[in-house]
Amino acid sequence: MRETRPALAETLSRIGSLIGDGRSRDDVLDVEQLSYESGVPRDVVRMLLDGEEPPAEDITDRIVRRIVHLRETRLRPDGTRHSYDEIAASYGASRASLSNLVNSRRKTPSPQTPSPQMPSRQALSRQSLSAQVPSEQVLSEQVPSQQTGERRPARSGGPLASTQAGIETFFFGQPNGWLSAEPQTSLDNALQSVLHGLEREAADPMARLRGTHGLRELAARAPQLAEEELQLVTDWIDTILQRRNAQRVRGSGADSSHTEGH
């Protein structure tokens, strides 16, 4: 598995090299769509695209936030949200267990500076989970170790692990780590479809023109061309279309001869 940060940087570098002249990164990267696919908030998506570090986030808060995100963005065919009853029942849990998890985390204060009167966010995280998960099964956050500086992998245990797996199966068909993945990993995964699309364009120069966006872009740039240059483009397209029509005619003729022969 690729390291999270180099993987994202590598993907963005590859996308940058494939964009080509006449387009910017903003033309091919839709922040709204990337946020939808990754579950990463729009402002954090922009930070990551600019090479900045995302703000620290408790992993359980991340899971709960993405549960809410899935309910708000992956709707039923009639446009309504899936109910807690429906989601929880799919993996054999009760509505109360799921709604209590979501509501307790959404109401938990997260102070920037811990004080003697108010415990830190990490302490609140452990307290809110203590009634549901034994202490040795509390999530291990994906944060740098104070001793080594290395990032520990996110992992869940006990009831929360089965909750995560059940919800991911409900929305994606199988457990895939989507709810707990670091923002860098989530965004990198969402960017793969963009990267593959650009790679297809690079392998097939006509790919951009086949799409509606490509045709609009060509039309928008037409006023920048001199009349004789625009005529060259028009002649080029006409030549391609004539060649395509000729191939179709030959193909139809061959089919007709084959039919008569029988």
Side-chain angles (χ1 to χ4, degrees):
M1 182 180 294
R2 298 188 300 174
E3 291 293 329
T4 298
R5 293 170 186 169
L8 178 59
E10 178 184 327
T11 298
L12 289 174
S13 176
R14 179 64 177 154
I15 287 174
S17 68
L18 290 170
I19 288 176
D21 297 333
R23 287 191 294 180
S24 68
R25 194 175 67 176
D26 290 339
D27 293 327
V28 298
L29 298 184
D30 184 336
V31 171
E32 188 77 28
Q33 183 65 24
L34 291 172
S35 177
Y36 167 84
E37 293 179 6
S38 66
V40 178
R42 291 186 295 273
D43 57 336
V44 178
V45 168
R46 294 188 184 96
M47 292 176 64
L48 291 170
L49 292 178
D50 291 337
E52 300 177 24
E53 282 291 313
E57 182 179 32
D58 179 274
I59 189 173
T60 310
D61 289 340
R62 182 189 307 152
I63 290 174
V64 168
R65 180 177 54 74
R66 290 184 182 177
I67 292 172
V68 174
H69 174 82
L70 286 175
R71 287 192 69 227
E72 292 177 347
T73 59
R74 273 65 166 182
L75 305 176
R76 295 189 183 110
D78 64 1
T80 62
R81 291 182 297 180
H82 294 280
S83 67
Y84 286 131
D85 287 295
E86 181 184 4
I87 299 170
S90 72
Y91 59 93
S94 67
R95 176 192 186 283
S97 65
L98 179 55
S99 62
N100 287 344
L101 170 66
V102 172
N103 292 331
S104 67
R105 300 303 296 189
R106 294 179 80 178
K107 294 176 182 177
T108 298
S110 300
Q112 295 297 322
T113 304
S115 66
Q117 292 76 27
M118 185 171 290
S120 66
R121 182 172 59 184
Q122 288 79 6
L124 285 167
S125 168
R126 286 161 175 77
Q127 291 170 10
S128 63
L129 284 171
S130 60
Q132 305 173 45
V133 186
S135 59
E136 65 272 13
Q137 293 178 330
V138 172
L139 286 172
S140 173
E141 272 197 89
Q142 208 162 10
V143 297
S145 167
Q146 293 180 353
Q147 289 77 21
T148 65
E150 297 177 353
R151 298 182 72 84
R152 299 191 299 271
R155 56 186 182 275
S156 57
L160 192 54
S162 61
T163 297
Q164 176 177 346
I167 292 173
E168 289 172 351
T169 299
F170 181 86
F171 285 102
F172 302 112
Q174 62 181 0
N176 58 5
W178 190 91
L179 288 174
S180 61
E182 283 196 40
Q184 294 94 330
T185 299
S186 299
L187 181 58
D188 183 60
N189 290 337
L191 285 168
Q192 294 309 304
S193 60
V194 178
L195 175 59
H196 295 158
L198 291 172
E199 288 174 337
R200 286 192 296 271
E201 286 183 7
D204 182 359
M206 286 298 294
R208 276 177 66 187
L209 292 180
R210 291 194 187 102
T212 303
H213 176 76
L215 293 174
R216 284 201 304 263
E217 182 182 352
L218 181 62
R221 297 172 66 183
Q224 303 174 24
L225 301 176
E227 184 175 349
E228 59 272 17
E229 294 170 333
L230 187 57
Q231 186 60 51
L232 285 174
V233 174
T234 303
D235 292 344
W236 174 61
I237 294 176
D238 287 341
T239 300
I240 293 174
L241 293 176
Q242 290 169 4
R243 186 184 305 166
R244 176 67 58 83
N245 290 334
Q247 290 173 345
R248 288 175 179 171
V249 170
R250 287 196 298 269
S252 299
D255 290 342
S256 176
S257 299
H258 180 72
T259 302
E260 293 175 0
H262 285 278

